[in-house]
Every structure is written in structure tokens, then in C-alpha cells.
Amino acid sequence: TATDRSARAVAMPGATRPPVRRPATLAARLLACRAGVSAVEFALICPVILALILGGVDLSRYIAYTRKVGEAAQTIASLVTQNASGSVNLYDLYFANDSSMVIFPDALRDAKARGSAWYETILITITSVKFSQTSASCTANCSYTAKVAWSYGLRQRPCNVALTPASDTAEPTPGTLPANVFGPGSVIVVEAAYVFTPILANALIGTRVIART
């Protein structure tokens, strides 16, 4: 019977139980334990994933605002130059400058959040630049010198100062002008500069100015 077999197994000489190996120390037991590994891995990876997501949000916002600032500068330039009179007066400049609130409404929202005026959030500068031939005897492929006739805005360009040709993709500065606009006549140059504030990286890199001409 089952009882007899159990008794015989107990009574068999030399019968011993197989040894059970157990971790000798607390450190060995901890190393051997696999409970909670997934939770620890998630705790380590989660901040990295969160930083990548928020960093992607900041990058996409920066790209979108760069496009919007460029469109604002282009639209304001069209408002200034395409008028019925064929000339620009002070009221045209006022209207074009104030229209940036409609063209770029993000400036109003950001100004309210910062407690500042909207024109301190997006800076608009409107400048008239006249070109003159470097050599009066030139008849073809001539080079030109660019000088500021007048400038309006918070970041005005200095008048009667020669401007240096720069790459078309370079950041606008008061002393440079894109090389592709150099030629006979004159041009209206509109510069828009927006103070961009990141969501995640603000504590690390602070605000950044997006400037387009």
C-alpha cells in the first residue's frame, strides 16, 4: 500500500534528501532575486522617454514659429510696398507694424503671459535701402553699394552706413543684407524677431530669438 511504501522509503538505509542550495548572504539573495526588475527598468527609462517627447515638442514648436516669423516679415513687406500711392508715409508704417498682431497672434498670447507689451515680444523693423553703382562707368554685371535711407522700429538700422552682403540664409544683422537683393534701385527690408520660449529646455538654454528678413 501507499503507507507501506512510504515506511519502506523512510526505513531504507542510506536514503538522504538532495541538498538544497541557498544564497549564503543577503547580497547574494538580492542578486538572485528577479522580482521588480521591470519596474526598475521603467523607472530608469521613463525620464529619458519623457525628455525626448518634450524635446520633440519644443523642436516642432521652434520650426513652426520660424515659419510663422518668416511669413510675418513677408506679409508686412507686402503691406508696405503694395499701396495705391506708390510711396511710403508714416501712417503706412504704423499700419504695417500694428498689423503684426493679426498676422502673428501668438505675440499677443505670449505678451499676456509675460506681462509685457506685444511689440516687445515680436520686434518689427522696416528699412528703406538704396543702391548705387560702385563704378559709374559700369554697364554690365555691375557691383552695388547699399546704404540705409531710413529705418523704423525698435531695432533701427543706422542711416548712411554701407551694408555688407551676406548669405541668403544668414541671420539678419543691422550691418548686413542678403546678397541676392543687391542691384539697381531700392528695396524695403522688413525684419521680424520673435522671442521664443521653450517648454522643457527653458531652464537649460533659456529663450531664443528667431529672426527673419
Side-chain angles (χ1 to χ4, degrees):
T1 65
T3 304
D4 296 337
R5 286 196 300 268
S6 176
R8 285 196 299 270
V10 174
M12 288 179 60
T16 59
R17 298 181 62 184
V20 178
R21 297 184 178 180
R22 297 178 179 177
T25 64
L26 176 61
R29 289 197 299 271
L30 290 176
L31 291 175
C33 180
R34 292 295 180 266
V37 172
S38 298
V40 173
E41 291 176 348
F42 178 77
L44 294 175
I45 296 175
C46 183
V48 178
I49 296 177
L50 184 61
L52 290 175
I53 293 174
L54 294 180
V57 171
D58 276 341
L59 179 60
S60 63
R61 289 178 65 245
Y62 183 86
I63 295 173
Y65 278 117
T66 299
R67 176 181 56 82
K68 290 180 180 180
V69 171
E71 291 176 350
Q74 182 65 42
T75 304
I76 293 172
S78 298
L79 290 174
V80 173
T81 57
Q82 298 178 11
N83 57 60
S85 65
S87 61
V88 179
N89 57 46
L90 191 59
Y91 295 104
D92 294 329
L93 298 178
Y94 288 157
F95 176 78
N97 183 75
D98 292 345
S99 65
S100 58
M101 291 185 292
V102 179
I103 301 169
F104 194 78
D106 302 87
L108 294 175
R109 184 186 65 247
D110 293 348
K112 181 179 180 180
R114 298 172 186 175
S116 60
W118 68 267
Y119 51 80
E120 295 176 352
T121 303
I122 181 168
L123 307 177
I124 304 297
T125 304
I126 307 172
T127 304
S128 175
V129 178
K130 291 186 176 181
F131 299 96
S132 59
Q133 286 187 194
T134 304
S135 174
S137 60
C138 178
T139 58
N141 298 323
C142 302
S143 59
Y144 294 86
T145 299
K147 289 187 177 181
V148 174
W150 52 261
S151 187
Y152 169 83
L154 295 179
R155 302 174 65 185
Q156 297 181 10
R157 290 174 179 255
C159 294
N160 296 321
V161 176
L163 303 177
T164 304
S167 170
D168 297 338
T169 58
E171 289 290 330
T173 63
T176 61
L177 198 66
N180 67 340
V181 302
F182 277 70
S186 62
V187 295
I188 295 293
V189 180
V190 175
E191 298 166 85
Y194 170 70
V195 182
F196 174 77
T197 303
I199 296 176
L200 175 66
N202 187 28
L204 299 176
I205 64 175
T207 57
R208 286 290 181 268
V209 176
I210 302 174
R212 290 294 180 270
T213 301

PDB file of all heavy atoms in Angstrom, residues 192-211:
ATOM      1  N   ALA A 192      11.719  90.719 -38.794  1.00  0.00           N
ATOM      2  CA  ALA A 192      10.853  90.302 -37.686  1.00  0.00           C
ATOM      3  C   ALA A 192      11.676  89.420 -36.759  1.00  0.00           C
ATOM      4  O   ALA A 192      12.292  88.447 -37.196  1.00  0.00           O
ATOM      5  CB  ALA A 192       9.633  89.546 -38.209  1.00  0.00           C
ATOM      6  N   ALA A 193      11.675  89.757 -35.492  1.00  0.00           N
ATOM      7  CA  ALA A 193      12.422  88.992 -34.488  1.00  0.00           C
ATOM      8  C   ALA A 193      11.469  88.613 -33.364  1.00  0.00           C
ATOM      9  O   ALA A 193      10.828  89.491 -32.761  1.00  0.00           O
ATOM     10  CB  ALA A 193      13.594  89.796 -33.949  1.00  0.00           C
ATOM     11  N   TYR A 194      11.372  87.318 -33.098  1.00  0.00           N
ATOM     12  CA  TYR A 194      10.434  86.814 -32.085  1.00  0.00           C
ATOM     13  C   TYR A 194      11.209  86.125 -30.962  1.00  0.00           C
ATOM     14  O   TYR A 194      12.146  85.360 -31.215  1.00  0.00           O
ATOM     15  CB  TYR A 194       9.454  85.827 -32.733  1.00  0.00           C
ATOM     16  CG  TYR A 194       8.593  85.065 -31.753  1.00  0.00           C
ATOM     17  CD1 TYR A 194       7.590  85.700 -31.036  1.00  0.00           C
ATOM     18  CD2 TYR A 194       8.798  83.699 -31.536  1.00  0.00           C
ATOM     19  CE1 TYR A 194       6.804  85.011 -30.139  1.00  0.00           C
ATOM     20  CE2 TYR A 194       8.006  82.997 -30.642  1.00  0.00           C
ATOM     21  CZ  TYR A 194       7.017  83.652 -29.948  1.00  0.00           C
ATOM     22  OH  TYR A 194       6.246  82.961 -29.051  1.00  0.00           O
ATOM     23  N   VAL A 195      10.812  86.404 -29.724  1.00  0.00           N
ATOM     24  CA  VAL A 195      11.455  85.798 -28.557  1.00  0.00           C
ATOM     25  C   VAL A 195      10.771  84.454 -28.275  1.00  0.00           C
ATOM     26  O   VAL A 195       9.637  84.427 -27.787  1.00  0.00           O
ATOM     27  CB  VAL A 195      11.377  86.727 -27.336  1.00  0.00           C
ATOM     28  CG1 VAL A 195      12.092  86.083 -26.150  1.00  0.00           C
ATOM     29  CG2 VAL A 195      11.982  88.084 -27.651  1.00  0.00           C
ATOM     30  N   PHE A 196      11.451  83.365 -28.596  1.00  0.00           N
ATOM     31  CA  PHE A 196      10.887  82.023 -28.435  1.00  0.00           C
ATOM     32  C   PHE A 196      11.268  81.465 -27.067  1.00  0.00           C
ATOM     33  O   PHE A 196      12.431  81.508 -26.659  1.00  0.00           O
ATOM     34  CB  PHE A 196      11.420  81.101 -29.535  1.00  0.00           C
ATOM     35  CG  PHE A 196      11.026  79.660 -29.375  1.00  0.00           C
ATOM     36  CD1 PHE A 196       9.751  79.232 -29.694  1.00  0.00           C
ATOM     37  CD2 PHE A 196      11.940  78.730 -28.900  1.00  0.00           C
ATOM     38  CE1 PHE A 196       9.388  77.909 -29.548  1.00  0.00           C
ATOM     39  CE2 PHE A 196      11.584  77.404 -28.756  1.00  0.00           C
ATOM     40  CZ  PHE A 196      10.309  76.991 -29.078  1.00  0.00           C
ATOM     41  N   THR A 197      10.265  80.919 -26.347  1.00  0.00           N
ATOM     42  CA  THR A 197      10.485  80.337 -25.027  1.00  0.00           C
ATOM     43  C   THR A 197      10.183  78.847 -25.078  1.00  0.00           C
ATOM     44  O   THR A 197       9.028  78.458 -25.285  1.00  0.00           O
ATOM     45  CB  THR A 197       9.587  81.006 -23.969  1.00  0.00           C
ATOM     46  OG1 THR A 197       9.827  82.417 -23.959  1.00  0.00           O
ATOM     47  CG2 THR A 197       9.872  80.430 -22.585  1.00  0.00           C
ATOM     48  N   PRO A 198      11.187  77.976 -24.901  1.00  0.00           N
ATOM     49  CA  PRO A 198      10.928  76.531 -24.894  1.00  0.00           C
ATOM     50  C   PRO A 198      10.121  76.117 -23.667  1.00  0.00           C
ATOM     51  O   PRO A 198      10.093  76.822 -22.651  1.00  0.00           O
ATOM     52  CB  PRO A 198      12.336  75.921 -24.858  1.00  0.00           C
ATOM     53  CG  PRO A 198      13.268  77.022 -25.225  1.00  0.00           C
ATOM     54  CD  PRO A 198      12.610  78.290 -24.788  1.00  0.00           C
ATOM     55  N   ILE A 199       9.482  74.960 -23.777  1.00  0.00           N
ATOM     56  CA  ILE A 199       8.714  74.428 -22.654  1.00  0.00           C
ATOM     57  C   ILE A 199       9.619  73.674 -21.695  1.00  0.00           C
ATOM     58  O   ILE A 199       9.638  73.934 -20.497  1.00  0.00           O
ATOM     59  CB  ILE A 199       7.590  73.504 -23.160  1.00  0.00           C
ATOM     60  CG1 ILE A 199       6.588  74.294 -24.007  1.00  0.00           C
ATOM     61  CG2 ILE A 199       6.863  72.847 -21.985  1.00  0.00           C
ATOM     62  CD1 ILE A 199       5.512  73.450 -24.626  1.00  0.00           C
ATOM     63  N   LEU A 200      10.390  72.720 -22.228  1.00  0.00           N
ATOM     64  CA  LEU A 200      11.246  71.876 -21.390  1.00  0.00           C
ATOM     65  C   LEU A 200      12.623  72.477 -21.196  1.00  0.00           C
ATOM     66  O   LEU A 200      13.138  72.516 -20.087  1.00  0.00           O
ATOM     67  CB  LEU A 200      11.374  70.481 -22.008  1.00  0.00           C
ATOM     68  CG  LEU A 200      12.331  69.515 -21.304  1.00  0.00           C
ATOM     69  CD1 LEU A 200      11.803  69.161 -19.917  1.00  0.00           C
ATOM     70  CD2 LEU A 200      12.536  68.245 -22.119  1.00  0.00           C
ATOM     71  N   ALA A 201      13.219  72.957 -22.274  1.00  0.00           N
ATOM     72  CA  ALA A 201      14.619  73.391 -22.228  1.00  0.00           C
ATOM     73  C   ALA A 201      14.794  74.829 -21.771  1.00  0.00           C
ATOM     74  O   ALA A 201      15.903  75.355 -21.837  1.00  0.00           O
ATOM     75  CB  ALA A 201      15.258  73.205 -23.608  1.00  0.00           C
ATOM     76  N   ASN A 202      13.739  75.462 -21.291  1.00  0.00           N
ATOM     77  CA  ASN A 202      13.864  76.853 -20.884  1.00  0.00           C
ATOM     78  C   ASN A 202      14.857  77.014 -19.736  1.00  0.00           C
ATOM     79  O   ASN A 202      15.637  77.971 -19.699  1.00  0.00           O
ATOM     80  CB  ASN A 202      12.493  77.394 -20.464  1.00  0.00           C
ATOM     81  CG  ASN A 202      12.521  78.886 -20.191  1.00  0.00           C
ATOM     82  OD1 ASN A 202      13.322  79.613 -20.751  1.00  0.00           O
ATOM     83  ND2 ASN A 202      11.643  79.340 -19.319  1.00  0.00           N
ATOM     84  N   ALA A 203      14.841  76.065 -18.790  1.00  0.00           N
ATOM     85  CA  ALA A 203      15.769  76.148 -17.661  1.00  0.00           C
ATOM     86  C   ALA A 203      17.211  75.889 -18.090  1.00  0.00           C
ATOM     87  O   ALA A 203      18.151  76.310 -17.414  1.00  0.00           O
ATOM     88  CB  ALA A 203      15.353  75.147 -16.578  1.00  0.00           C
ATOM     89  N   LEU A 204      17.388  75.198 -19.217  1.00  0.00           N
ATOM     90  CA  LEU A 204      18.735  74.849 -19.672  1.00  0.00           C
ATOM     91  C   LEU A 204      19.313  75.885 -20.629  1.00  0.00           C
ATOM     92  O   LEU A 204      20.460  76.310 -20.474  1.00  0.00           O
ATOM     93  CB  LEU A 204      18.707  73.474 -20.351  1.00  0.00           C
ATOM     94  CG  LEU A 204      18.268  72.295 -19.481  1.00  0.00           C
ATOM     95  CD1 LEU A 204      18.204  71.022 -20.314  1.00  0.00           C
ATOM     96  CD2 LEU A 204      19.209  72.117 -18.290  1.00  0.00           C
ATOM     97  N   ILE A 205      18.523  76.293 -21.638  1.00  0.00           N
ATOM     98  CA  ILE A 205      19.047  77.188 -22.667  1.00  0.00           C
ATOM     99  C   ILE A 205      18.379  78.555 -22.652  1.00  0.00           C
ATOM    100  O   ILE A 205      18.842  79.479 -23.320  1.00  0.00           O
ATOM    101  CB  ILE A 205      18.913  76.563 -24.060  1.00  0.00           C
ATOM    102  CG1 ILE A 205      17.436  76.359 -24.418  1.00  0.00           C
ATOM    103  CG2 ILE A 205      19.671  75.254 -24.142  1.00  0.00           C
ATOM    104  CD1 ILE A 205      17.209  75.856 -25.825  1.00  0.00           C
ATOM    105  N   GLY A 206      17.273  78.700 -21.912  1.00  0.00           N
ATOM    106  CA  GLY A 206      16.584  79.979 -21.861  1.00  0.00           C
ATOM    107  C   GLY A 206      15.861  80.299 -23.151  1.00  0.00           C
ATOM    108  O   GLY A 206      15.629  79.421 -23.989  1.00  0.00           O
ATOM    109  N   THR A 207      15.502  81.557 -23.335  1.00  0.00           N
ATOM    110  CA  THR A 207      14.783  81.972 -24.526  1.00  0.00           C
ATOM    111  C   THR A 207      15.729  82.110 -25.720  1.00  0.00           C
ATOM    112  O   THR A 207      16.949  82.288 -25.544  1.00  0.00           O
ATOM    113  CB  THR A 207      14.076  83.319 -24.301  1.00  0.00           C
ATOM    114  OG1 THR A 207      15.043  84.305 -23.907  1.00  0.00           O
ATOM    115  CG2 THR A 207      13.034  83.180 -23.190  1.00  0.00           C
ATOM    116  N   ARG A 208      15.169  82.032 -26.917  1.00  0.00           N
ATOM    117  CA  ARG A 208      15.919  82.166 -28.144  1.00  0.00           C
ATOM    118  C   ARG A 208      15.195  83.149 -29.067  1.00  0.00           C
ATOM    119  O   ARG A 208      13.976  83.194 -29.098  1.00  0.00           O
ATOM    120  CB  ARG A 208      16.097  80.830 -28.854  1.00  0.00           C
ATOM    121  CG  ARG A 208      17.114  79.910 -28.178  1.00  0.00           C
ATOM    122  CD  ARG A 208      18.522  80.467 -28.368  1.00  0.00           C
ATOM    123  NE  ARG A 208      19.543  79.616 -27.764  1.00  0.00           N
ATOM    124  CZ  ARG A 208      20.016  79.740 -26.543  1.00  0.00           C
ATOM    125  NH1 ARG A 208      19.500  80.681 -25.757  1.00  0.00           N
ATOM    126  NH2 ARG A 208      20.944  78.962 -26.075  1.00  0.00           N
ATOM    127  N   VAL A 209      15.957  83.949 -29.793  1.00  0.00           N
ATOM    128  CA  VAL A 209      15.378  84.923 -30.723  1.00  0.00           C
ATOM    129  C   VAL A 209      15.377  84.318 -32.119  1.00  0.00           C
ATOM    130  O   VAL A 209      16.419  83.904 -32.636  1.00  0.00           O
ATOM    131  CB  VAL A 209      16.166  86.238 -30.712  1.00  0.00           C
ATOM    132  CG1 VAL A 209      15.613  87.205 -31.759  1.00  0.00           C
ATOM    133  CG2 VAL A 209      16.130  86.881 -29.343  1.00  0.00           C
ATOM    134  N   ILE A 210      14.179  84.249 -32.705  1.00  0.00           N
ATOM    135  CA  ILE A 210      14.026  83.803 -34.090  1.00  0.00           C
ATOM    136  C   ILE A 210      13.904  85.050 -34.952  1.00  0.00           C
ATOM    137  O   ILE A 210      12.951  85.811 -34.809  1.00  0.00           O
ATOM    138  CB  ILE A 210      12.788  82.912 -34.258  1.00  0.00           C
ATOM    139  CG1 ILE A 210      12.869  81.691 -33.339  1.00  0.00           C
ATOM    140  CG2 ILE A 210      12.633  82.468 -35.696  1.00  0.00           C
ATOM    141  CD1 ILE A 210      11.620  80.831 -33.349  1.00  0.00           C
ATOM    142  N   ALA A 211      14.859  85.275 -35.834  1.00  0.00           N
ATOM    143  CA  ALA A 211      14.868  86.482 -36.663  1.00  0.00           C
ATOM    144  C   ALA A 211      14.826  86.093 -38.136  1.00  0.00           C
ATOM    145  O   ALA A 211      15.551  85.192 -38.574  1.00  0.00           O
ATOM    146  CB  ALA A 211      16.118  87.310 -36.379  1.00  0.00           C
TER     147      ALA A 211
END
